[in-house]
Amino acid sequence: MARRAKPTEDTRSLSREAVLRFISDNPDLATKRDLAKAFGVKGEARVFLKDLIADLQAEGVIEGSRKRFSQAGIAPTVSVLEIRDRDDEGGLLGDPVGWNEDEHGPRPRFALRQTRDGPAAGIGDRVLAQLDMQALEGPVAKVIRLLDRKTSRALGVFRSAPGGGGRIEPVERRQLEYMIGPGDTRGAKDGDLVEVEPSLRSRAGLPIGSVAEVVGSLQSERAISTIALHAHSIPHVFPKAVLDEADRAGAATMDDREDWRDLPLVTIDPRDAKDHDDAVHARPDEDPTNPGGHIVTVAIADVSWYVRPATKLDAEAKLRGNSVYFPDRVVPMLPERISNDLCSLREGVDRPALAVRMVFDAQGEKRRHEFHRIMMRSHAKLAYQDAQAAIDGTPNEVDLAIVDGVLRPLWAAYATLKMGRDTRQPLDLDLPERKIVLDASGRVDRVIVPQRLDAHKLIEECMIQANVAAAETLESKRQALIYRAHDAPSMARMESLRDFLRTLELPLAKSGALRPSHFNGILHAVKDTEHESLVNEVVLRSQSQAAYSPENIGHFGLNLVRYAHFTSPIRRYADLVVHRALVTALGFGQGGLSREDEDQLEQTADEISRAERRAMAAERDTVDRLIAHHLAERIGDEFDGRIAGVTKSGLFVQLPAFGADGFIPISTLGSDYYHYDEIAHSLVGDRSKRGYRLGDTVSVKLVEAIPLAGSMRFEMLTEPRELPATNASFHKAGRRPARPGRAPRLKAAGAKNRKRR
């Protein structure tokens, strides 16, 4: 067999998709020489191009000889499809790339058939597929190979031109603008949010594109979050088949369930919560061998009863991975019929649940636990603030019987749980969460920092203990599961952190012995000092990112040996998997983990980890855009800020009052030449030796705000200050760093909440 050419740096622009697009767009310039010229292919890279063309010919995608290539046949049997939509049954639909309507007729849309053993494709992917135009149910395609998981389409705002056509205004800072011809608008109106298909045709000026899809008008109240949904390819419209399946669901029965409806479980949630997936109860342990101990019960909505493996509801939930939270809306993982109705633990209504009863001693150490599949009835729906007020003796509307019979025992149990937490010493970062409050029109009204109450901490600790119990039970039963894994910081990050702390004369233990308690000691040492904010920020950046995994590596941040998400199955697919695993392992009846799902846990963990990161990025981008839109009319105003990022290009400054960042290019900092000191997270003036450091409080002026891109640019008003001596290696080596290029994309501070631990 002949040896095939391997991709090189010179062939990185070559792909099946790119070659097919060029042939489609340039029917008169489609020789091998034209292709080589268009893609800058020279020397040995021509062999790679030759092999690529041979593959496309062998698969029937193109036809022709050395003189000219063209897309094959009137009715091609193999083509590249871009998956852009789903049908009413939830099936994927693909559009052929480079379809010539003059030769082949109107562009068909193919229903994709995927086998379990074949490549798994999704919205936004490009695939090589076998086409069947004669199928009884209409055009269908069988996926042969996954070509690209990233769609080439860009998102932007259509701005019409007087003579027809228009241009695309980008919604992200790094995006290009595109010119749109009069015949390529697809009916887009001025101000519409659209997806644009770039073209390889070029001319002087802006690149050319065509409108592929009209998303909606930017005049809508939800325009900002709509941008994030489409920019990050987040599914947000339930297929009709999924909604129909949810509507057919009925109330759960008592089969294989214990009747716990008389137990006074209560829900404690945010005041505006629409779904309630966890309820709690506590009482003193009457066992004489456990003096001062408590029995804590956590009941979680039994989503596994309603969402079964291999159903359309399950496929959609897995595709979404989790609910996504924006200031103006929630994009749920499950339809409202399931999330807000059948599975929501409503007050006074019978609801199925999985419950864990845990016994703790007087020091907060768990002695044992046991899971049950139950039917429960919430005895009260409480907001955090109301529960706290009742305990504090502040007048409120909570029934006195609930206060004395439920809340006081819960708070007594929390006092012991807190002792156990203090002994365990999880990582204790002080990072306040900010919440954007919108007015009736969807505009930013104000940004608040919600008060952190004992009621929040009580629920959080109960959920953590329930999650630990789930992992322990499944391990003891040798049942496969998905863990919430959080690895220890890497050696490289620890060395960087150690170098930084050395500039503050703060010691850090050798990396081999590091535990969260070591970081807590550092954080305690800088408490209420000028370095508190800075050190919290740097310690946070040194940590690894939590993810889902079928392999147990423990949870470093919580200082736990094993940990699994169990407590939020309405909004996280990982929790649903753990519920199913418990049903299977404990013989609880229907709705358990199937053998096929168990075999695919590694792939599932990877998919939902990516979905979580996708959701966090979309939420962060939406905050950026909302704040930029809110401040766009305040150009020239001065603000108090804090340096939240230091790069070679300049400084990111966060406005604490709003929770969003703006950028200060290094070239605007003054007449001095600034060096980037990576170890000290600072910019240092070459002549003055004064500068700016991560965590510094500064005053800035807003000079530019681009709402659609979610970016702001500031001017520094605070003079540089004297900085502690650092290991500034660039001074010793006599090197001057290259002038920075374009500023990186702005990032807003990520919100933390108990649901994501």
Side-chain angles (χ1 to χ4, degrees):
M1 181 179 292
R3 179 179 297 175
R4 298 186 60 79
K6 297 182 179 180
T8 67
E9 188 71 11
D10 293 332
T11 63
R12 64 181 182 273
S13 63
L14 272 177
S15 67
R16 293 166 175 267
E17 172 190 334
V19 168
L20 286 171
R21 189 188 300 278
F22 182 87
I23 292 173
S24 174
D25 290 345
N26 302 274
D28 297 325
L29 293 172
T31 67
K32 189 179 297 182
R33 177 178 296 178
D34 293 326
L35 289 167
K37 183 178 180 181
F39 293 96
V41 175
K42 299 178 181 179
E44 296 181 0
R46 290 179 179 272
V47 179
F48 182 87
L49 174 60
K50 177 182 177 182
D51 290 342
L52 180 57
I53 291 173
D55 284 346
L56 293 173
Q57 287 179 303
E59 293 163 357
V61 181
I62 64 173
E63 60 186 11
S65 61
R66 292 193 322 181
K67 293 184 178 180
R68 182 172 300 166
F69 298 99
S70 61
Q71 289 196 289
I74 293 177
T77 58
V78 177
S79 180
V80 174
L81 301 182
E82 181 173 306
I83 304 172
R84 296 304 307 165
D85 205 352
R86 284 181 286 169
D87 59 25
D88 288 343
E89 299 297 315
L92 296 173
L93 298 173
D95 294 334
V97 173
W99 186 271
N100 190 320
E101 294 190 358
D102 292 335
E103 292 185 21
H104 308 322
R107 179 192 298 263
R109 173 162 279 191
F110 292 87
L112 265 68
R113 291 174 175 169
Q114 297 188 83
T115 62
R116 185 169 292 275
D117 297 332
I123 299 292
D125 294 348
R126 296 217 173 187
V127 297
L128 185 68
Q130 183 81 37
L131 308 183
D132 182 358
M133 298 282 291
Q134 308 303 320
L136 293 177
E137 63 268 38
V140 297
K142 179 182 177 182
V143 177
I144 300 173
R145 184 181 305 150
L146 181 63
L147 300 179
D148 189 3
R149 283 199 177 276
K150 295 182 179 179
T151 177
S152 62
R153 293 184 181 182
L155 196 67
V157 178
F158 179 74
R159 300 301 183 191
S160 60
R167 66 179 181 86
I168 300 298
E169 179 182 328
V171 297
E172 292 192 24
R173 191 159 190 162
R174 291 183 177 180
Q175 272 182 219
L176 298 173
E177 289 190 44
Y178 291 93
M179 293 297 296
I180 305 297
D184 294 326
T185 65
R186 290 216 173 184
K189 300 180 177 61
D190 188 77
D192 278 351
L193 184 67
V194 301
E195 287 188 343
V196 59
E197 184 85 34
S199 170
L200 288 182
R201 294 179 306 222
S202 62
R203 68 181 189 187
L206 296 176
I208 300 171
S210 60
V211 173
E213 181 180 348
V214 178
V215 176
S217 172
L218 274 185
Q219 303 304 315
S220 67
E221 294 181 3
R222 295 185 170 189
I224 298 298
S225 54
T226 298
I227 292 174
L229 289 173
H230 283 265
H232 294 277
S233 301
I234 294 176
H236 60 286
V237 177
F238 285 106
K240 183 177 183 299
V242 174
L243 295 174
D244 289 345
E245 196 170 89
D247 289 340
R248 289 194 297 268
T253 67
M254 287 297 299
D255 293 346
D256 299 312
R257 294 188 189 279
E258 301 173 47
D259 190 346
W260 285 24
R261 286 174 288 187
D262 290 337
L263 183 69
L265 289 153
V266 300
T267 61
I268 306 178
D269 289 296
R271 196 179 300 281
D272 57 355
K274 294 182 179 179
D275 57 69
H276 309 277
D277 53 8
D278 55 78
V280 292
H281 176 268
R283 63 177 173 84
D285 188 3
E286 298 176 355
D287 186 345
T289 66
N290 187 28
H294 290 82
I295 299 176
V296 177
T297 300
V298 174
I300 306 297
D302 189 359
V303 179
S304 64
W305 177 263
Y306 293 103
V307 183
R308 303 291 179 88
T311 60
K312 291 180 171 61
L313 268 172
D314 180 54
E316 183 70 16
K318 185 177 180 180
L319 177 68
R320 295 182 177 220
N322 47 249
S323 298
V324 186
Y325 295 85
F326 298 112
D328 64 331
R329 65 168 129 175
V330 175
V331 179
M333 184 181 79
L334 298 169
E336 287 191 9
R337 167 67 173 159
I338 302 296
S339 61
N340 292 3
D341 184 5
L342 293 176
C343 286
S344 185
L345 306 182
R346 295 180 174 179
E347 181 178 2
V349 180
D350 292 357
R351 286 289 181 257
L354 287 184
V356 56
R357 182 167 279 164
M358 301 172 285
V359 179
F360 295 90
D361 63 21
Q363 288 72 46
E365 183 175 344
K366 182 162 64 68
R367 303 182 70 175
R368 62 184 181 276
H369 68 267
E370 189 175 48
F371 281 88
H372 304 261
R373 202 173 200 183
I374 68 170
M375 185 67 74
M376 61 159 285
R377 183 181 296 160
S378 172
H379 285 229
K381 182 184 78 170
L382 305 174
Y384 287 115
Q385 297 86 345
D386 295 336
Q388 188 68 55
I391 289 296
D392 294 342
T394 305
N396 60 84
E397 297 181 359
V398 180
D399 187 278
L400 187 60
I402 294 295
V403 176
D404 292 335
V406 180
L407 293 186
R408 296 201 187 282
L410 270 171
W411 255 257
Y414 171 61
T416 62
L417 292 181
K418 186 176 184 300
M419 292 173 61
R421 179 184 178 90
D422 292 343
T423 300
R424 192 175 81 241
Q425 288 201 56
L427 188 60
D428 190 21
L429 289 166
D430 183 15
L431 299 167
E433 177 185 347
R434 286 173 176 79
K435 181 179 180 180
I436 294 180
V437 179
L438 304 180
D439 59 22
S441 65
R443 301 282 296 266
V444 176
D445 179 43
R446 63 190 186 279
V447 180
I448 62 174
V449 178
Q451 186 179 3
R452 178 82 165 150
L453 304 171
D454 281 344
H456 294 99
K457 300 174 185 177
L458 180 154
I459 294 299
E460 180 177 281
E461 193 60 28
C462 287
M463 298 304 118
I464 288 173
Q465 293 297 336
N467 288 336
V468 172
E472 290 177 346
T473 292
L474 293 174
E475 276 196 3
S476 70
K477 296 294 184 179
R478 301 185 181 277
Q479 170 66 51
L481 71 147
I482 290 179
Y483 294 91
R484 180 60 168 176
H486 184 222
D487 205 355
S490 67
M491 295 285 289
R493 289 189 176 188
M494 284 302 90
E495 286 305 312
S496 296
L497 177 62
R498 194 172 284 108
D499 288 340
F500 163 72
L501 293 175
R502 198 174 291 125
T503 68
L504 301 178
E505 298 183 351
L506 293 171
L508 183 63
K510 294 293 183 181
S511 57
L514 280 179
R515 301 302 307 161
S517 58
H518 292 99
F519 294 101
N520 290 341
I522 296 296
L523 298 173
H524 180 74
V526 297
K527 186 74 173 175
D528 298 326
T529 71
E530 63 173 319
H531 301 304
E532 179 179 7
S533 177
L534 166 64
V535 173
N536 270 270
E537 190 74 36
V538 176
V539 168
L540 172 64
R541 296 182 184 194
S542 72
Q543 303 302 305
S544 301
Q545 186 174 33
Y548 294 106
S549 171
E551 301 298 327
N552 181 29
I553 61 172
H555 196 295
F556 181 83
L558 293 175
N559 198 16
L560 293 168
V561 176
R562 56 191 60 83
Y563 191 65
H565 272 166
F566 159 74
T567 53
S568 293
I570 288 177
R571 67 197 73 191
R572 291 188 308 221
Y573 193 80
D575 304 55
L576 176 56
V577 172
V578 170
H579 274 236
R580 290 172 175 167
L582 287 166
V583 170
T584 296
L586 299 175
F588 279 162
Q590 301 179 53
L593 194 65
S594 71
R595 176 61 64 181
E596 286 182 335
D597 286 341
E598 191 171 311
D599 292 339
Q600 295 178 0
L601 284 184
E602 185 172 355
Q603 177 183 337
T604 299
D606 180 63
E607 290 176 1
I608 60 180
S609 293
R610 284 190 278 111
E612 180 185 50
R613 293 192 292 271
R614 175 184 68 188
M616 293 174 68
E619 292 167 6
R620 187 171 58 243
D621 289 352
T622 299
V623 170
D624 283 350
R625 291 188 174 101
L626 282 170
I627 297 302
H629 194 272
H630 179 57
L631 298 179
E633 298 177 357
R634 298 182 61 180
I635 302 298
D637 284 6
E638 298 179 8
F639 300 91
D640 292 329
R642 183 180 66 84
I643 296 178
V646 181
T647 73
K648 293 180 180 180
S649 303
L651 303 170
F652 288 101
V653 175
Q654 183 187 79
L655 305 183
F658 301 100
D661 295 350
F663 190 69
I664 301 179
I666 194 172
S667 59
T668 67
L669 286 178
S671 59
D672 207 344
Y673 190 94
Y674 285 89
H675 298 279
Y676 172 52
D677 187 338
E678 184 176 6
I679 292 174
H681 299 273
S682 61
L683 293 179
V684 186
D686 188 55
R687 295 188 303 275
S688 67
K689 303 300 184 288
R690 300 167 69 90
Y692 303 94
R693 191 176 198 176
L694 185 71
D696 283 354
T697 299
V698 294
S699 294
V700 297
K701 178 193 292 186
L702 179 63
V703 295
E704 181 184 32
I706 308 176
L708 292 180
S711 64
M712 295 182 289
R713 184 165 57 85
F714 295 132
E715 175 186 322
M716 178 65 76
L717 300 178
T718 300
E719 292 295 322
R721 68 182 182 91
E722 291 186 10
L723 298 174
T726 64
N727 181 22
S729 57
F730 48 76
H731 287 304
K732 296 179 181 179
R735 292 187 284 114
R736 295 175 70 88
R739 271 296 181 186
R742 192 173 185 180
R745 187 186 179 283
L746 304 184
K747 296 181 180 178
K752 313 288 180 189
N753 60 60
R754 68 180 176 92
K755 301 294 184 184
R756 279 195 174 139
R757 285 183 179 268

